[in-house]
mmCIF file of all heavy atoms in Angstrom:
data_model
loop_
_atom_site.group_PDB
_atom_site.id
_atom_site.type_symbol
_atom_site.label_atom_id
_atom_site.label_comp_id
_atom_site.label_asym_id
_atom_site.label_seq_id
_atom_site.Cartn_x
_atom_site.Cartn_y
_atom_site.Cartn_z
ATOM 1 N N GLY A 1 0.836 -1.211 -0.006
ATOM 2 C CA GLY A 1 -0.002 0.018 0.029
ATOM 3 C C GLY A 1 0.855 1.246 -0.004
ATOM 4 O O GLY A 1 2.058 1.181 -0.214
ATOM 5 N N PRO A 2 0.259 2.415 0.264
ATOM 6 C CA PRO A 2 1.015 3.668 0.163
ATOM 7 C C PRO A 2 2.147 3.724 1.161
ATOM 8 O O PRO A 2 2.073 3.296 2.322
ATOM 9 C CB PRO A 2 -0.091 4.746 0.478
ATOM 10 C CG PRO A 2 -1.172 3.995 1.197
ATOM 11 C CD PRO A 2 -1.157 2.629 0.613
ATOM 12 N N ALA A 3 3.292 4.206 0.733
ATOM 13 C CA ALA A 3 4.510 4.253 1.530
ATOM 14 C C ALA A 3 4.477 5.469 2.443
ATOM 15 O O ALA A 3 3.766 6.506 2.233
ATOM 16 C CB ALA A 3 5.726 4.349 0.633
ATOM 17 N N GLY A 4 5.166 5.325 3.550
ATOM 18 C CA GLY A 4 5.358 6.411 4.530
ATOM 19 C C GLY A 4 4.102 6.759 5.303
ATOM 20 O O GLY A 4 3.988 7.817 5.913
ATOM 21 N N VAL A 5 3.158 5.861 5.311
ATOM 22 C CA VAL A 5 1.889 6.073 6.047
ATOM 23 C C VAL A 5 1.744 5.009 7.162
ATOM 24 O O VAL A 5 2.025 3.878 6.928
ATOM 25 C CB VAL A 5 0.665 6.018 5.042
ATOM 26 C CG1 VAL A 5 -0.617 6.262 5.790
ATOM 27 C CG2 VAL A 5 0.871 6.996 3.935
ATOM 28 N N GLY A 6 1.237 5.445 8.274
ATOM 29 C CA GLY A 6 1.059 4.518 9.369
ATOM 30 C C GLY A 6 -0.181 3.713 9.150
ATOM 31 O O GLY A 6 -1.361 4.229 9.199
ATOM 32 N N GLY A 7 -0.077 2.434 8.901
ATOM 33 C CA GLY A 7 -1.211 1.589 8.676
ATOM 34 C C GLY A 7 -1.414 0.547 9.759
ATOM 35 O O GLY A 7 -1.194 0.862 10.943
ATOM 36 N N VAL A 8 -1.778 -0.660 9.388
ATOM 37 C CA VAL A 8 -1.987 -1.777 10.323
ATOM 38 C C VAL A 8 -0.883 -2.743 10.160
ATOM 39 O O VAL A 8 -0.613 -3.242 9.069
ATOM 40 C CB VAL A 8 -3.345 -2.437 10.072
ATOM 41 C CG1 VAL A 8 -3.524 -3.548 11.077
ATOM 42 C CG2 VAL A 8 -4.504 -1.396 10.204
ATOM 43 N N CYS A 9 -0.181 -3.060 11.252
ATOM 44 C CA CYS A 9 0.964 -4.001 11.236
ATOM 45 C C CYS A 9 0.459 -5.399 11.665
ATOM 46 O O CYS A 9 -0.227 -5.533 12.696
ATOM 47 C CB CYS A 9 2.025 -3.528 12.185
ATOM 48 S SG CYS A 9 3.491 -4.581 12.179
ATOM 49 N N LEU A 10 0.792 -6.387 10.845
ATOM 50 C CA LEU A 10 0.540 -7.773 11.167
ATOM 51 C C LEU A 10 1.907 -8.416 11.549
ATOM 52 O O LEU A 10 2.854 -8.425 10.697
ATOM 53 C CB LEU A 10 -0.043 -8.518 9.970
ATOM 54 C CG LEU A 10 -1.314 -7.963 9.424
ATOM 55 C CD1 LEU A 10 -1.761 -8.675 8.129
ATOM 56 C CD2 LEU A 10 -2.451 -7.998 10.467
ATOM 57 N N SER A 11 2.053 -8.842 12.762
ATOM 58 C CA SER A 11 3.364 -9.260 13.238
ATOM 59 C C SER A 11 3.357 -10.694 13.739
ATOM 60 O O SER A 11 2.455 -11.136 14.414
ATOM 61 C CB SER A 11 3.815 -8.338 14.385
ATOM 62 O OG SER A 11 5.092 -8.682 14.906
ATOM 63 N N GLY A 12 4.454 -11.409 13.407
ATOM 64 C CA GLY A 12 4.612 -12.766 13.900
ATOM 65 C C GLY A 12 6.032 -13.156 13.919
ATOM 66 O O GLY A 12 6.878 -12.661 13.175
ATOM 67 N N HIS A 13 6.363 -14.137 14.819
ATOM 68 C CA HIS A 13 7.772 -14.538 14.941
ATOM 69 C C HIS A 13 7.988 -15.808 14.110
ATOM 70 O O HIS A 13 7.125 -16.644 13.927
ATOM 71 C CB HIS A 13 8.116 -14.821 16.421
ATOM 72 C CG HIS A 13 7.360 -15.844 17.110
ATOM 73 N ND1 HIS A 13 7.675 -17.201 17.031
ATOM 74 C CD2 HIS A 13 6.288 -15.835 17.948
ATOM 75 C CE1 HIS A 13 6.844 -17.913 17.781
ATOM 76 N NE2 HIS A 13 5.993 -17.106 18.300
ATOM 77 N N SER A 14 9.210 -15.948 13.636
ATOM 78 C CA SER A 14 9.571 -17.101 12.763
ATOM 79 C C SER A 14 10.208 -18.230 13.521
ATOM 80 O O SER A 14 10.329 -19.357 12.970
ATOM 81 C CB SER A 14 10.564 -16.612 11.708
ATOM 82 O OG SER A 14 11.766 -16.105 12.310
ATOM 83 N N ASP A 15 10.664 -18.035 14.749
ATOM 84 C CA ASP A 15 11.360 -19.088 15.450
ATOM 85 C C ASP A 15 10.377 -19.999 16.187
ATOM 86 O O ASP A 15 9.235 -19.629 16.437
ATOM 87 C CB ASP A 15 12.387 -18.519 16.472
ATOM 88 C CG ASP A 15 11.729 -17.650 17.578
ATOM 89 O OD1 ASP A 15 10.853 -16.823 17.208
ATOM 90 O OD2 ASP A 15 12.077 -17.789 18.751
ATOM 91 N N VAL A 16 10.837 -21.252 16.433
ATOM 92 C CA VAL A 16 10.050 -22.258 17.139
ATOM 93 C C VAL A 16 10.856 -22.864 18.235
ATOM 94 O O VAL A 16 12.097 -22.708 18.308
ATOM 95 C CB VAL A 16 9.588 -23.383 16.123
ATOM 96 C CG1 VAL A 16 8.724 -22.799 15.025
ATOM 97 C CG2 VAL A 16 10.825 -24.071 15.510
ATOM 98 N N VAL A 17 10.187 -23.597 19.124
ATOM 99 C CA VAL A 17 10.875 -24.272 20.221
ATOM 100 C C VAL A 17 11.418 -25.600 19.768
ATOM 101 O O VAL A 17 11.010 -26.146 18.754
ATOM 102 C CB VAL A 17 9.914 -24.489 21.425
ATOM 103 C CG1 VAL A 17 9.435 -23.162 21.980
ATOM 104 C CG2 VAL A 17 8.718 -25.360 21.017
ATOM 105 N N PRO A 18 12.373 -26.183 20.522
ATOM 106 C CA PRO A 18 13.010 -27.469 20.118
ATOM 107 C C PRO A 18 12.009 -28.628 20.138
ATOM 108 O O PRO A 18 10.992 -28.624 20.844
ATOM 109 C CB PRO A 18 14.112 -27.649 21.118
ATOM 110 C CG PRO A 18 14.312 -26.303 21.721
ATOM 111 C CD PRO A 18 13.030 -25.613 21.727
ATOM 112 N N VAL A 19 12.345 -29.612 19.320
ATOM 113 C CA VAL A 19 11.623 -30.878 19.308
ATOM 114 C C VAL A 19 12.409 -31.988 20.030
ATOM 115 O O VAL A 19 11.892 -33.116 20.153
ATOM 116 C CB VAL A 19 11.264 -31.349 17.854
ATOM 117 C CG1 VAL A 19 10.415 -30.321 17.164
ATOM 118 C CG2 VAL A 19 12.558 -31.640 17.089
ATOM 119 N N ASP A 20 13.555 -31.677 20.520
ATOM 120 C CA ASP A 20 14.460 -32.627 21.112
ATOM 121 C C ASP A 20 13.729 -33.456 22.222
ATOM 122 O O ASP A 20 13.205 -32.894 23.160
ATOM 123 C CB ASP A 20 15.688 -31.974 21.730
ATOM 124 C CG ASP A 20 16.442 -31.062 20.780
ATOM 125 O OD1 ASP A 20 15.729 -30.416 19.947
ATOM 126 O OD2 ASP A 20 17.666 -30.973 20.856
ATOM 127 N N GLY A 21 13.814 -34.774 22.106
ATOM 128 C CA GLY A 21 13.309 -35.632 23.123
ATOM 129 C C GLY A 21 11.792 -35.794 23.093
ATOM 130 O O GLY A 21 11.236 -36.539 23.943
ATOM 131 N N GLN A 22 11.093 -35.105 22.234
ATOM 132 C CA GLN A 22 9.618 -35.214 22.182
ATOM 133 C C GLN A 22 9.188 -36.369 21.305
ATOM 134 O O GLN A 22 9.739 -36.556 20.244
ATOM 135 C CB GLN A 22 9.012 -33.917 21.642
ATOM 136 C CG GLN A 22 9.219 -32.698 22.583
ATOM 137 C CD GLN A 22 8.470 -31.486 22.102
ATOM 138 O OE1 GLN A 22 8.104 -31.346 20.914
ATOM 139 N NE2 GLN A 22 8.169 -30.558 23.012
ATOM 140 N N PRO A 23 8.173 -37.127 21.748
ATOM 141 C CA PRO A 23 7.753 -38.288 20.977
ATOM 142 C C PRO A 23 6.744 -37.925 19.857
ATOM 143 O O PRO A 23 5.573 -38.138 19.962
ATOM 144 C CB PRO A 23 7.063 -39.179 22.032
ATOM 145 C CG PRO A 23 6.542 -38.165 23.048
ATOM 146 C CD PRO A 23 7.518 -37.022 23.059
ATOM 147 N N TRP A 24 7.262 -37.439 18.732
ATOM 148 C CA TRP A 24 6.464 -37.034 17.597
ATOM 149 C C TRP A 24 5.972 -38.295 16.843
ATOM 150 O O TRP A 24 6.761 -39.252 16.645
ATOM 151 C CB TRP A 24 7.220 -36.102 16.684
ATOM 152 C CG TRP A 24 7.289 -34.697 17.151
ATOM 153 C CD1 TRP A 24 8.055 -34.239 18.194
ATOM 154 C CD2 TRP A 24 6.528 -33.583 16.668
ATOM 155 N NE1 TRP A 24 7.804 -32.833 18.334
ATOM 156 C CE2 TRP A 24 6.881 -32.449 17.420
ATOM 157 C CE3 TRP A 24 5.620 -33.455 15.629
ATOM 158 C CZ2 TRP A 24 6.371 -31.224 17.146
ATOM 159 C CZ3 TRP A 24 5.080 -32.194 15.383
ATOM 160 C CH2 TRP A 24 5.443 -31.092 16.165
ATOM 161 N N SER A 25 4.749 -38.257 16.329
ATOM 162 C CA SER A 25 4.252 -39.344 15.512
ATOM 163 C C SER A 25 4.594 -39.113 14.057
ATOM 164 O O SER A 25 4.460 -40.035 13.219
ATOM 165 C CB SER A 25 2.703 -39.443 15.671
ATOM 166 O OG SER A 25 2.406 -39.680 17.025
ATOM 167 N N THR A 26 4.890 -37.847 13.717
ATOM 168 C CA THR A 26 5.253 -37.485 12.304
ATOM 169 C C THR A 26 6.573 -36.709 12.348
ATOM 170 O O THR A 26 7.082 -36.297 13.384
ATOM 171 C CB THR A 26 4.178 -36.623 11.724
ATOM 172 O OG1 THR A 26 4.046 -35.405 12.455
ATOM 173 C CG2 THR A 26 2.831 -37.341 11.726
ATOM 174 N N ASP A 27 7.106 -36.448 11.127
ATOM 175 C CA ASP A 27 8.262 -35.618 11.009
ATOM 176 C C ASP A 27 7.887 -34.176 11.375
ATOM 177 O O ASP A 27 7.037 -33.596 10.738
ATOM 178 C CB ASP A 27 8.841 -35.650 9.584
ATOM 179 C CG ASP A 27 10.036 -34.760 9.369
ATOM 180 O OD1 ASP A 27 10.398 -34.019 10.290
ATOM 181 O OD2 ASP A 27 10.633 -34.822 8.271
ATOM 182 N N PRO A 28 8.440 -33.608 12.465
ATOM 183 C CA PRO A 28 8.025 -32.300 12.916
ATOM 184 C C PRO A 28 8.248 -31.191 11.891
ATOM 185 O O PRO A 28 7.647 -30.133 11.974
ATOM 186 C CB PRO A 28 8.810 -32.058 14.218
ATOM 187 C CG PRO A 28 9.960 -33.007 14.128
ATOM 188 C CD PRO A 28 9.506 -34.187 13.349
ATOM 189 N N PHE A 29 9.147 -31.424 10.966
ATOM 190 C CA PHE A 29 9.445 -30.369 9.963
ATOM 191 C C PHE A 29 8.885 -30.675 8.585
ATOM 192 O O PHE A 29 9.338 -30.137 7.570
ATOM 193 C CB PHE A 29 10.972 -30.073 9.912
ATOM 194 C CG PHE A 29 11.487 -29.583 11.257
ATOM 195 C CD1 PHE A 29 12.235 -30.412 12.105
ATOM 196 C CD2 PHE A 29 11.169 -28.314 11.707
ATOM 197 C CE1 PHE A 29 12.695 -29.957 13.302
ATOM 198 C CE2 PHE A 29 11.629 -27.847 12.905
ATOM 199 C CZ PHE A 29 12.403 -28.706 13.767
ATOM 200 N N THR A 30 7.922 -31.565 8.574
ATOM 201 C CA THR A 30 7.131 -31.823 7.355
ATOM 202 C C THR A 30 5.680 -31.672 7.668
ATOM 203 O O THR A 30 5.134 -32.355 8.578
ATOM 204 C CB THR A 30 7.388 -33.291 6.831
ATOM 205 O OG1 THR A 30 8.782 -33.425 6.493
ATOM 206 C CG2 THR A 30 6.547 -33.538 5.626
ATOM 207 N N LEU A 31 5.015 -30.678 7.095
ATOM 208 C CA LEU A 31 3.621 -30.452 7.393
ATOM 209 C C LEU A 31 2.815 -31.677 6.994
ATOM 210 O O LEU A 31 2.848 -32.080 5.796
ATOM 211 C CB LEU A 31 3.073 -29.197 6.665
ATOM 212 C CG LEU A 31 1.722 -28.718 7.132
ATOM 213 C CD1 LEU A 31 1.820 -28.138 8.557
ATOM 214 C CD2 LEU A 31 1.174 -27.701 6.130
ATOM 215 N N THR A 32 2.063 -32.246 7.924
ATOM 216 C CA THR A 32 1.378 -33.506 7.665
ATOM 217 C C THR A 32 -0.108 -33.342 7.961
ATOM 218 O O THR A 32 -0.540 -33.101 9.065
ATOM 219 C CB THR A 32 1.935 -34.611 8.614
ATOM 220 O OG1 THR A 32 3.348 -34.736 8.386
ATOM 221 C CG2 THR A 32 1.280 -35.945 8.261
ATOM 222 N N PRO A 33 -0.952 -33.458 6.877
ATOM 223 C CA PRO A 33 -2.401 -33.342 7.124
ATOM 224 C C PRO A 33 -2.990 -34.634 7.665
ATOM 225 O O PRO A 33 -2.666 -35.722 7.157
ATOM 226 C CB PRO A 33 -2.945 -33.031 5.726
ATOM 227 C CG PRO A 33 -1.932 -33.616 4.779
ATOM 228 C CD PRO A 33 -0.627 -33.555 5.455
ATOM 229 N N VAL A 34 -3.782 -34.517 8.658
ATOM 230 C CA VAL A 34 -4.527 -35.662 9.220
ATOM 231 C C VAL A 34 -5.945 -35.189 9.523
ATOM 232 O O VAL A 34 -6.145 -34.365 10.419
ATOM 233 C CB VAL A 34 -3.872 -36.266 10.477
ATOM 234 C CG1 VAL A 34 -4.708 -37.444 10.999
ATOM 235 C CG2 VAL A 34 -2.462 -36.684 10.202
ATOM 236 N N ASP A 35 -6.921 -35.692 8.773
ATOM 237 C CA ASP A 35 -8.333 -35.348 8.956
ATOM 238 C C ASP A 35 -8.465 -33.803 8.805
ATOM 239 O O ASP A 35 -8.084 -33.254 7.770
ATOM 240 C CB ASP A 35 -8.873 -35.807 10.297
ATOM 241 C CG ASP A 35 -8.824 -37.285 10.417
ATOM 242 O OD1 ASP A 35 -9.068 -37.965 9.369
ATOM 243 O OD2 ASP A 35 -8.621 -37.832 11.540
ATOM 244 N N ASP A 36 -8.892 -33.089 9.840
ATOM 245 C CA ASP A 36 -9.163 -31.660 9.748
ATOM 246 C C ASP A 36 -8.024 -30.841 10.389
ATOM 247 O O ASP A 36 -8.255 -29.699 10.730
ATOM 248 C CB ASP A 36 -10.507 -31.305 10.408
ATOM 249 C CG ASP A 36 -10.535 -31.718 11.865
ATOM 250 O OD1 ASP A 36 -9.622 -32.470 12.346
ATOM 251 O OD2 ASP A 36 -11.457 -31.309 12.552
ATOM 252 N N LYS A 37 -6.812 -31.399 10.518
ATOM 253 C CA LYS A 37 -5.729 -30.743 11.137
ATOM 254 C C LYS A 37 -4.492 -30.875 10.255
ATOM 255 O O LYS A 37 -4.388 -31.786 9.390
ATOM 256 C CB LYS A 37 -5.422 -31.350 12.475
ATOM 257 C CG LYS A 37 -6.608 -31.396 13.445
ATOM 258 C CD LYS A 37 -6.191 -32.054 14.754
ATOM 259 C CE LYS A 37 -7.352 -32.124 15.745
ATOM 260 N NZ LYS A 37 -8.402 -33.102 15.276
ATOM 261 N N VAL A 38 -3.517 -29.996 10.514
ATOM 262 C CA VAL A 38 -2.197 -30.163 9.897
ATOM 263 C C VAL A 38 -1.157 -30.120 10.995
ATOM 264 O O VAL A 38 -1.237 -29.231 11.888
ATOM 265 C CB VAL A 38 -1.878 -29.146 8.790
ATOM 266 C CG1 VAL A 38 -2.643 -29.402 7.542
ATOM 267 C CG2 VAL A 38 -2.151 -27.719 9.292
ATOM 268 N N TYR A 39 -0.209 -31.099 11.016
ATOM 269 C CA TYR A 39 0.732 -31.245 12.057
ATOM 270 C C TYR A 39 2.137 -30.755 11.625
ATOM 271 O O TYR A 39 2.540 -30.951 10.467
ATOM 272 C CB TYR A 39 0.813 -32.712 12.489
ATOM 273 C CG TYR A 39 -0.401 -33.271 13.174
ATOM 274 C CD1 TYR A 39 -1.569 -33.557 12.454
ATOM 275 C CD2 TYR A 39 -0.389 -33.445 14.546
ATOM 276 C CE1 TYR A 39 -2.697 -34.048 13.123
ATOM 277 C CE2 TYR A 39 -1.509 -33.937 15.202
ATOM 278 C CZ TYR A 39 -2.610 -34.222 14.511
ATOM 279 O OH TYR A 39 -3.768 -34.736 15.142
ATOM 280 N N GLY A 40 2.827 -30.193 12.563
ATOM 281 C CA GLY A 40 4.204 -29.791 12.306
ATOM 282 C C GLY A 40 4.655 -28.742 13.337
ATOM 283 O O GLY A 40 3.821 -27.997 13.835
ATOM 284 N N ARG A 41 5.978 -28.705 13.615
ATOM 285 C CA ARG A 41 6.417 -27.701 14.568
ATOM 286 C C ARG A 41 6.263 -26.326 14.041
ATOM 287 O O ARG A 41 6.696 -25.987 12.886
ATOM 288 C CB ARG A 41 7.937 -27.963 14.872
ATOM 289 C CG ARG A 41 8.572 -26.990 15.755
ATOM 290 C CD ARG A 41 7.825 -26.751 17.106
ATOM 291 N NE ARG A 41 8.288 -27.648 18.137
ATOM 292 C CZ ARG A 41 7.509 -28.265 19.008
ATOM 293 N NH1 ARG A 41 6.163 -28.105 18.941
ATOM 294 N NH2 ARG A 41 7.988 -29.035 19.918
ATOM 295 N N GLY A 42 5.611 -25.522 14.819
ATOM 296 C CA GLY A 42 5.319 -24.150 14.373
ATOM 297 C C GLY A 42 4.021 -23.976 13.651
ATOM 298 O O GLY A 42 3.625 -22.818 13.375
#
């Protein structure tokens, strides 16, 4: 949109917490759809 104007900011972080030692049923870094959900770290 127009530059130099105060608008609405959508903010989110890119980092995630570790998966070390957690008993995942799927690859945490491969988005996996199951029924009405998608699984993956983050």
Side-chain angles (χ1 to χ4, degrees):
V5 181
V8 179
C9 182
L10 303 173
S11 181
H13 62 84
S14 62
D15 61 317
V16 297
V17 297
V19 300
D20 307 35
Q22 293 186 339
W24 281 74
S25 303
T26 62
D27 179 352
F29 298 107
T30 298
L31 191 70
T32 305
V34 179
D35 298 328
D36 59 348
K37 306 176 181 69
V38 285
Y39 290 76
R41 175 55 89 220

